[in-house]
Structures are given as structure tokens and as C-alpha cells.
Amino acid sequence: MAGSFKSTALAVLAVCGCFGQTAKLTPATRIELPTHIDGNSPSYWTPDGLRLFTSIGNPEMVSLAPNQYGPWESQSVDLTDQQHIPLWIESAYYDSNGTLYGWYHHEPGGVCPGKSLSMPSIGAVVSYDGGLTIQDLGIVLQSGYAPDCATKNEYFAGGHGDFTVVPDRLGKYFYFYFTNYSGPDDEQGIAVARLAVEDLLHPGGAVWKYFGGDWTEPGLGGRTTPIFPATVNWQKSNTDSFWGPAVHWNYHLDSYVMLLNRSCCGPNFPQAGIYLAFNPDPANPTGWQQPSLLLDNEQIGFGPGFYPQVMGLMWGDTDSYSGERARLYIHGISDWEIHFVKPQPPPPPPEEPEPGDDPPPDPPDGSRTRH
């Protein structure tokens, strides 16, 4: 799904108003993340500086810089297990004890004989050297439905992928927001699952999908209730669905913010703009507000316009943790600064007159109705 870029700066102000919370975009000097990019590119801070995973499936790259403006030094990641190649690391969390947890999108081959279709799944890794070497912890999210080899989708015959992972604010769970390409129409779209913190090192069989109002379906094979259902499913030639969520905790808004791609309305992932949604509590999947358009394709200015994410401007900010101001990246390119604005409090109600107060005087023209 890669494409060519043209260096076109956005010369307008884009504004997204979403249930009182607002995101404003202003043009900024272009920044490009290093190496080749084909997915979410997670960042994290180590004692050495800011690190970044980027991928095109194989090889996986890790880069180091003082901050997002560079300069970057990049090298290949040492994969101790080749079982789930190709893989794209799309989320990462660096623990204060020096352990790095990561999660990857995997596309197996040979799903439909004679066709290049895959059926993605999501796996976990761990690193004890800041991401230079990673150990595969196995697949944690997988569809239980058989591949649909008659699909009109030119990439996937189903599966789970194109995702992000974020911790909650209570230190209890990590939440997976992923695209479900499989199963009945009412299960496809943006789905969610979670993993308890105590299971981070042993995640196989410990991830639970949200379904029917509870977290009761297993990550390996279970059903889903999407938070943003596909309008037209992924197997049809006129697919219409959000996909590829990128979520961060915004400490200025006290809310999680989700950026989304939208595919509409044909095969081969035609892009229909970048969308934005908010939810203060990931434990309440129904709390996500309906996505609002942030940028249309013309405003993006280069193609194909996939993979939106932010990176905050303060030390410690990443793609999954940001504040009032951040850079907005699309496919690793940032031509914009994004500014998050808190909802304005409602005006106070007018004061009621106290009993016995004199009535207000008549208008000068004597137009008050008299009884």
C-alpha cells in the first residue's frame, strides 16, 4: 500500500470540532521519520534518547535521535525468532525497569492457494536492550473465522491487524484497538481487546476481546463487537470502513484520542481521509464519540495518505502519550502541527432575583407591556 510522495505544503487551517473537544491543524516545516514506513511507527524514550520502530515487514528497523527532529541513527533489529516474519511492530511500551514490550502485525503467506492474499494476526515481543534485540512471545490476537478466498479485498482474506496498544491510567490493562477484517458484517470494523498488566510477559491466551458488552471472548479465535462497525464489509468491492487506529493518551484533554484511516468505497484500500475520535475511559468501549473528519485527501496533499499518528513536542512525549501540541504524521511525514483544545465550560445560568428585589426599570421608550 505504499505510494509516491510530492512535497506539497498545506496552506490552510484545518479544524475538527468533536463534542466540545477540538483539534486544530496549522502548517509547519516538513519533518520525515527515518527509513521506510508501512504502518504505525511506535516511539519510546530510553536513557539514550528517543527511539522509533519502523518497518516494511522485513527488515524491522530501530532508530535513535535526541528528539523527533533528529538526526536519526538507524539499524536493523535482531529478531531472535523468525517464525512470524514478515512482521510490523506497530506499538511499544517502555517500562521504567528497562523492559520494552512491543506488539506486531503479522501477515502469513499461503492462506489461499494460488493467490497472494494473507490473513493477518497480532503478536507480542519483548526486549531487554532497548529494542535492538527482540524476543517473540507469540500470537495474541487472531480471527476464528476461515479465510474468505473469494474476497474482493486485494490484500486480506480476513484476520486481525493494523492496530495500536495503549495502557490505561490505572495500571491494570493494556488495550488493543485493531481492525477486524473477518467474520459476519456486524463483527467487522474497529474492535478492541485487553491484556492484564500481570500477563505482559505471558500474553498467549491472556488477551480478551470485547463482545456483547463484556470482555469474555478469547483473543485467539473469539468474536468481536466493533466500536466502529464497517458500513460495508471488507470482502465486498465497495468496502466502507475505518481501519488502522492510532491511539494516544492526551494529558491536556484528560482523554484518549484515536486517529483513523477510512477506506471507501472500493477494493485495494482507497483512502477517504483522516478521522479523529475521543474517549476518556478505555474500559468503556461505547464511550468513543463518532469519528469526525480531520483531513480529506486533497488537504493531505500526498498519497496514499495512510497511517496517521501524533508525536508530542515535550520531552517524554511519544506517539502514544502527548499533550496540548504535537506533530501530526501521515505515512511518516509531518507537514502539520496539531493543537488540542479543551471543551469550553458552559456559561453560568443567569442569576435569579432575590424575593423582594425591585423589578428592573422600564426601557426608555416605555415599550414594556403593562398589566
Side-chain angles (χ1 to χ4, degrees):
M1 293 181 284
S4 60
F5 300 118
K6 60 180 181 181
S7 180
T8 303
L10 184 67
V12 299
L13 172 68
V15 179
C16 173
C18 309
F19 295 88
Q21 298 174 106
T22 304
K24 299 179 180 180
L25 291 179
T26 52
T29 303
R30 174 168 285 191
I31 305 172
E32 296 191 38
L33 297 178
T35 78
H36 298 291
I37 290 173
D38 183 30
N40 290 340
S41 299
S43 56
Y44 52 98
W45 289 88
T46 69
D48 296 328
L50 181 66
R51 292 187 183 268
L52 177 80
F53 280 125
T54 53
S55 182
I56 53 173
N58 190 25
E60 184 77 29
M61 305 294 292
V62 62
S63 302
L64 173 67
N67 53 53
Q68 65 184 299
Y69 300 97
W72 293 95
E73 297 180 4
S74 303
Q75 67 181 78
S76 296
V77 176
D78 182 7
L79 304 173
T80 60
D81 188 331
Q82 302 288 313
Q83 181 180 359
H84 295 120
I85 297 294
L87 61 78
W88 293 253
I89 295 180
E90 296 203 295
S91 273
Y93 175 79
Y94 188 78
D95 193 283
S96 58
N97 66 11
T99 304
L100 175 70
Y101 301 95
W103 297 274
Y104 61 84
H105 167 115
H106 168 54
E107 295 183 12
V111 171
C112 295
K115 296 185 177 182
S116 61
L117 294 169
S118 185
M119 192 164 176
S121 55
I122 296 170
V125 296
V126 65
S127 174
Y128 299 102
D129 60 5
L132 304 179
T133 304
I134 60 175
Q135 173 186 343
D136 192 354
L137 299 177
I139 300 300
V140 299
L141 277 169
Q142 192 169 53
S143 174
Y145 294 102
D148 184 348
C149 295
T151 181
K152 301 299 183 182
N153 186 308
E154 298 181 19
Y155 289 93
F156 301 146
H160 297 340
D162 295 311
F163 70 98
T164 192
V165 181
V166 288
D168 66 14
R169 307 311 301 163
L170 302 176
K172 295 178 64 177
Y173 294 101
F174 280 76
Y175 285 83
F176 295 70
Y177 295 94
F178 61 98
T179 317
N180 178 24
Y181 300 103
S182 280
D185 290 7
D186 61 0
E187 290 193 36
Q188 295 191 30
I190 304 299
V192 59
R194 70 185 186 184
L195 170 71
V197 168
E198 56 265 27
D199 294 322
L200 277 170
L201 283 174
H202 306 281
V207 175
W208 295 91
K209 296 174 183 174
Y210 178 76
F211 177 78
D214 208 348
W215 307 90
T216 54
E217 289 290 304
L220 300 174
R223 297 166 294 174
T224 62
T225 295
I227 56 175
F228 300 130
T231 302
V232 179
N233 78 36
W234 284 96
Q235 283 69 54
K236 294 185 178 179
S237 61
N238 60 333
T239 295
D240 185 356
S241 180
F242 293 113
W243 68 279
V247 180
H248 77 274
W249 168 252
N250 192 285
Y251 53 82
H252 175 67
L253 298 177
D254 288 328
S255 178
Y256 288 87
V257 180
M258 181 184 293
L259 290 163
L260 293 151
N261 306 289
R262 180 185 170 203
S263 182
C264 182
C265 291
N268 200 24
F269 285 79
Q271 182 72 327
I274 303 298
Y275 286 73
L276 188 69
F278 301 92
N279 182 4
D281 183 10
N284 177 20
T286 63
W288 286 98
Q289 295 158 347
Q290 190 62 27
S292 297
L293 181 67
L294 179 65
L295 280 175
D296 62 29
N297 288 357
E298 184 176 348
Q299 291 171 312
I300 293 171
F302 54 83
F306 301 146
Y307 312 128
Q309 64 183 85
V310 304
M311 196 176 297
L313 301 184
M314 304 299 291
W315 188 95
D317 287 359
T318 66
D319 66 295
S320 58
Y321 184 78
S322 182
E324 182 177 3
R325 294 168 57 237
R327 291 299 296 247
L328 172 68
Y329 289 86
I330 298 176
H331 219 131
I333 294 177
S334 175
D335 288 334
W336 311 273
E337 186 173 294
I338 186 167
H339 178 206
F340 295 98
V341 182
K342 290 181 178 180
Q344 295 299 312
E351 293 185 7
E352 295 290 335
E354 294 292 331
D357 284 353
D358 292 333
D362 286 349
D365 61 2
S367 61
R368 174 175 291 153
T369 300
R370 299 182 182 274
H371 298 281

